[in-house]
Amino acid sequence: MDADTPAQQRAAAAEHSVLERYLHRYGPVAWAHASLGGGENPRMWHYWWHAHLLHVLADAETHRPDARRRRLIRRVGRGVALRTIGRWTTPFYDDIAWMGLALARSGRHPRALRRIARVLDDAVDPGVGALAWSVDSELYNAPANAPGGMVLAVTGRRTEAAGLAAWMASVLDDPATGLVRDGIEHGVTRPELWTYNQGAVIGLELVLGEPALADPAHEAGSHVERARALVRAVERWCSADDGLFPGAGGGDGGLFAGILARYLAQAARDLAERGDAEGDALSRTARRLVQRNADALWEGRRDGLFPADPRRPARSEGDDLDLSVQLGAWITFEAAAGLERVVTS
């Protein structure tokens, strides 16, 4: 496979690499080890990373349906249920929100999804108007509120989801860049700009803007406009580096860029359907960003591994051995694969 390899083949190659290297099957259940390296606890089971494993498996199933993958999705789901003793939750609201999105995407375990939605809805602090990062935390951040809002929206709580979106717009939007800052704790804003926060907020605004995507006169149009503004802000942010997303290393950071790619691809699809010139232009912008990063990751592959940073080749040590990094690359390739049929005027 070379630089001209079609997007679906790239995604299939990334899927094969992750499943062959990291996934382990134990009878009717399956889960993945955290790393191929010899560092601290490489066989650790990581809840948040498994949420993204389930989600990207569902993406792959949409793009390349296969009965074996459907069985695997069931086995990984059983693994999550077993590891969480049937609760499907942790004390971290951001983590369970991402798990809820994975379940919604896969269409499986509806009772677990409903339970997660109830937990998130009950956890919104009425005095703040937002979700805390975790139980007993004073940090209110985009990593909890953006995916949490999406879960609430897709489970019929659109008013509550819109409230979380409004809180982030008023508190976390950076006036200098138009990007979403990380969070606020004890009244102090955390100014970090992470790729996954931009992606998740784009995703939330697109979900809330669905009525306006079909009817531009619908009052939900403000959500579409915010999604558009964030696509523009991400383009400006990445322009100095030829469209490459900022790297975030290994660990949890290995997933950040892939999450941005996923929701930029969603923006490319949704905005193309609007049929207006600005929407078409921004659809092309989002598509270029996804494809640019997918191309760079593909060019950096070595021995089936992808780099944590698309500016360099993959390495056989360090961050590149983390499951999160390889999942992040796979998510990016699936995002690109989902754009193959998007056409703008």
Side-chain angles (χ1 to χ4, degrees), residues 6 51 60 103 120 139 158 208 339:
L103 298 180
L120 293 173
L139 170 62
R158 294 182 65 88
L208 293 172
L339 291 175

Side-chain angles (χ1 to χ4, degrees), residues 25 33 40 48 54 80 86 88 102 108 130 132 232 254 257 259 261 267 270 297 337:
R25 296 164 175 82
H33 289 174
E40 183 178 352
W48 191 57
L54 275 172
V80 176
W88 288 85
R108 299 182 183 277
R232 295 188 202 101
I259 293 169
D270 288 357
L297 288 170

Side-chain angles (χ1 to χ4, degrees), residues 3-244:
D4 297 324
T5 301
Q8 291 289 358
Q9 290 186 35
R10 292 180 178 186
E15 176 182 16
H16 176 79
S17 179
V18 168
L19 299 183
E20 286 297 309
R21 294 171 187 266
Y22 295 89
L23 196 77
H24 297 266
R25 296 164 175 82
Y26 305 93
V29 303
W31 54 70
H33 289 174
S35 177
L36 299 176
E40 183 178 352
N41 201 8
R43 298 180 65 180
M44 178 181 69
W45 184 86
H46 199 297
Y47 177 95
W48 191 57
W49 299 3
H50 275 76
H52 290 286
L53 173 60
L54 275 172
H55 199 144
V56 75
L57 280 166
D59 289 342
E61 181 59 23
T62 298
H63 298 150
R64 301 175 301 281
D66 184 273
R68 290 170 298 179
R69 187 188 299 106
R70 291 192 290 274
R71 290 194 293 271
L72 179 58
I73 290 172
R74 289 194 292 270
R75 293 173 82 173
V76 173
R78 291 190 197 108
V80 176
L82 179 63
R83 286 282 190 162
T84 60
I85 321 175
R87 293 192 303 266
W88 288 85
T89 59
T90 79
F92 297 91
Y93 296 125
D94 58 340
D95 288 2
I96 69 170
W98 290 107
M99 185 64 75
L101 289 177
L103 298 180
R105 176 64 164 144
S106 70
R108 299 182 183 277
H109 306 286
R111 291 179 61 186
L113 173 58
R114 290 193 297 270
R115 182 173 191 274
I116 285 173
R118 287 196 301 271
V119 169
L120 293 173
D121 194 17
D122 292 344
V124 175
D125 187 330
V128 177
L131 276 166
W133 172 55
S134 68
V135 174
D136 297 328
S137 174
E138 294 297 323
L139 170 62
Y140 298 84
N141 61 2
N145 285 274
M150 280 192 273
V151 171
L152 294 178
V154 301
T155 56
R157 299 168 173 86
R158 294 182 65 88
T159 300
E160 293 82 353
L164 299 186
W167 178 84
M168 286 186 287
S170 65
V171 176
L172 299 184
D173 279 9
D174 179 16
T177 64
L179 297 166
V180 181
R181 295 172 291 190
D182 189 60
I184 186 167
E185 188 173 21
H186 299 298
V188 178
T189 300
R190 290 190 174 190
E192 294 86 1
L193 302 173
W194 299 110
T195 46
Y196 76 143
N197 290 341
Q198 319 314 314
V201 176
I202 289 171
L204 173 58
E205 296 293 357
L206 289 171
V207 170
L208 293 172
E210 283 176 354
L213 289 166
D215 176 9
H218 195 282
E219 62 182 7
S222 61
H223 294 291
V224 178
E225 291 306 313
R226 187 166 183 234
R228 287 178 166 187
L230 279 169
V231 172
R232 295 188 202 101
V234 169
E235 181 188 30
R236 292 192 300 269
W237 190 32
C238 301
S239 62
D241 209 358
D242 194 27
L244 293 179

Side-chain angles (χ1 to χ4, degrees), residues 229-280:
L230 279 169
V231 172
R232 295 188 202 101
V234 169
E235 181 188 30
R236 292 192 300 269
W237 190 32
C238 301
S239 62
D241 209 358
D242 194 27
L244 293 179
F245 300 150
D252 286 349
L255 284 158
F256 290 3
I259 293 169
L260 175 56
R262 170 181 286 142
Y263 292 108
L264 281 174
Q266 185 66 53
R269 290 190 293 272
D270 288 357
L271 297 178
E273 294 176 1
R274 290 265 292 186
D276 64 288
E278 183 186 14
D280 283 352

